[in-house]
Amino acid sequence: MRKILLFLFGVLLSIPAFSQNATYETKKDISYYPSSTKGDAYREERCKLDVYYPKNKSNSSTIVWFHGGGLTGGNKEIPRELLEKGFIVIGVGYRLSPKVRVKDIIEDATASVAWAFNNVASYGGNNKLIFVSGHSAGGYLDMMLTLDKKYLAKYNIDADSIAGIIPFSGQAITHFTVRQERKIKDVQPVIDEYAPLYHVRPTAPPMLLITGDREMEMLGRYEENAYLARMMKLAGHKSTVLYELEGFGHGDMAVPAMPLLIKEVNRLSKQIKESKKIGL
């Protein structure tokens, strides 16, 4: 576990954008489910994404971003801290509980990542450079669709081909909204198939876990992530790192976490490119 002190972010946030002179565009409200699945009005309303991308650039890294909101609220977003950094950023909307079950929400998130694999080349991206990130409920979705390989396998995509997982304060045990569906109290921990912890494995993509201060976080969010990091390492995964942002609570940790996300995406992208796994 690595603690990050508040003063360090003044330095990190001052890092200039890599592509300040690039021209960016945004395509909004793209449906990510196939047209053949139309007929569910709520899914058609919610299951859309926005794509922010640099024009005239190739082999760009892509960050698929899932919003927070406890799986019961929130809307798709492109975080402003990720603008003009040279990335393609995909802000994903998904259905919400209680209108649908949590398993349906995970399937929505998975469908959006499958869309990214199949379409980022049209926006100057490379599907070997797709990263998943998000805050709170979004971080939970990152981990579930990647660690439990059955979700992307439905689309004939190996979850291990995701370039990196960077969840912000994601729930590592069974999500509290799942527990609410089952009438289980928030303070009653559960680890089952709806817990990222249940799916620890050595072959997962690199994972950078970021939480707020353990004394300021929601319930035991830091401790959940610490246990996940430990179990991933014991399972043989060699690329799990955990950061605790001292002085920040659950709701305000996302902004100071952004420089760590940017640094990690750039680090892993460089590593992948230098390994000659993709054509340049």
Side-chain angles (χ1 to χ4, degrees), residues 4-5 9 28 34 41 48 53 101 112 131 168 175 188 200 220 238 273 277:
I4 302 296
L5 300 176
F9 286 95
K28 295 187 175 182
K48 295 181 179 179
Y53 63 102
R101 310 284 286 183
S112 72
F131 299 82
F168 292 9
H175 198 276
Q188 177 62 58
V200 295
K238 301 185 184 304
K273 290 176 181 179
K277 290 181 180 179

Side-chain angles (χ1 to χ4, degrees), residues 193-209:
E193 63 177 320
Y194 290 106
L197 259 166
Y198 189 81
H199 303 284
V200 295
R201 55 189 180 81
T203 61
M207 183 159 60
L208 176 63
L209 305 170

Side-chain angles (χ1 to χ4, degrees), residues 154-175:
K154 178 180 176 182
Y155 295 91
N156 297 314
I157 296 171
D158 184 348
D160 293 349
S161 61
I162 289 175
I165 323 166
I166 308 101
F168 292 9
S169 195
Q171 186 131 44
I173 64 174
T174 299
H175 198 276

Side-chain angles (χ1 to χ4, degrees), residues 23-37:
T23 300
Y24 293 81
E25 287 193 356
T26 303
K27 301 293 185 184
K28 295 187 175 182
D29 295 325
I30 300 170
S31 296
Y32 54 79
Y33 274 108
S35 58
S36 60
T37 62

Side-chain angles (χ1 to χ4, degrees), residues 65-267:
W65 177 265
F66 297 105
H67 66 82
L71 303 177
T72 61
N75 293 291
K76 59 182 167 62
E77 60 183 1
I78 305 289
R80 64 182 179 83
E81 295 83 5
L82 299 179
L83 301 180
E84 298 188 0
K85 297 296 189 293
F87 306 133
I88 298 168
V89 185
I90 299 177
V92 179
Y94 48 84
R95 290 173 291 175
L96 302 170
S97 174
K99 287 190 174 181
V100 297
R101 310 284 286 183
V102 170
K103 68 178 182 62
D104 302 312
I105 301 172
I106 299 171
E107 288 172 0
D108 289 348
T110 305
S112 72
V113 172
W115 183 95
F117 270 90
N118 293 324
N119 290 277
V120 290
S122 300
Y123 298 89
N126 189 304
N127 65 10
K128 292 183 175 62
L129 294 171
I130 292 177
F131 299 82
V132 291
S133 188
H135 179 222
S136 193
Y140 169 78
L141 294 173
D142 297 340
M143 293 189 284
M144 282 301 302
L145 72 88
T146 309
L147 294 178
D148 188 347
K149 298 186 73 171
K150 74 181 180 187
Y151 290 106
L152 279 168
K154 178 180 176 182
Y155 295 91
N156 297 314
I157 296 171
D158 184 348
D160 293 349
S161 61
I162 289 175
I165 323 166
I166 308 101
F168 292 9
S169 195
Q171 186 131 44
I173 64 174
T174 299
H175 198 276
F176 63 78
T177 300
V178 177
R179 286 178 278 152
Q180 287 170 358
E181 290 176 350
R182 300 172 182 172
K183 312 289 192 230
I184 297 172
K185 294 180 180 179
D186 284 346
V187 293
Q188 177 62 58
V190 175
I191 298 174
D192 63 12
E193 63 177 320
Y194 290 106
L197 259 166
Y198 189 81
H199 303 284
V200 295
R201 55 189 180 81
T203 61
M207 183 159 60
L208 176 63
L209 305 170
I210 311 172
T211 78
D213 190 312
R214 69 188 74 186
E215 299 300 333
M216 301 172 70
E217 262 287 5
M218 177 182 290
L219 297 173
R221 195 60 56 91
Y222 164 77
E223 288 80 5
E224 294 176 29
N225 278 262
Y227 187 39
L228 174 61
R230 172 59 59 191
M231 297 310 292
M232 286 292 287
K233 290 175 182 178
L234 291 175
H237 192 258
K238 301 185 184 304
S239 301
T240 298
V241 176
L242 169 64
Y243 283 107
E244 176 187 9
L245 306 185
E246 290 189 328
F248 294 93
H250 183 76
D252 63 359
M253 60 76 65
V255 171
M258 287 293 178
L260 295 172
L261 166 61
I262 292 167
K263 182 178 179 181
E264 182 73 349
V265 171
N266 284 326
R267 182 185 74 83

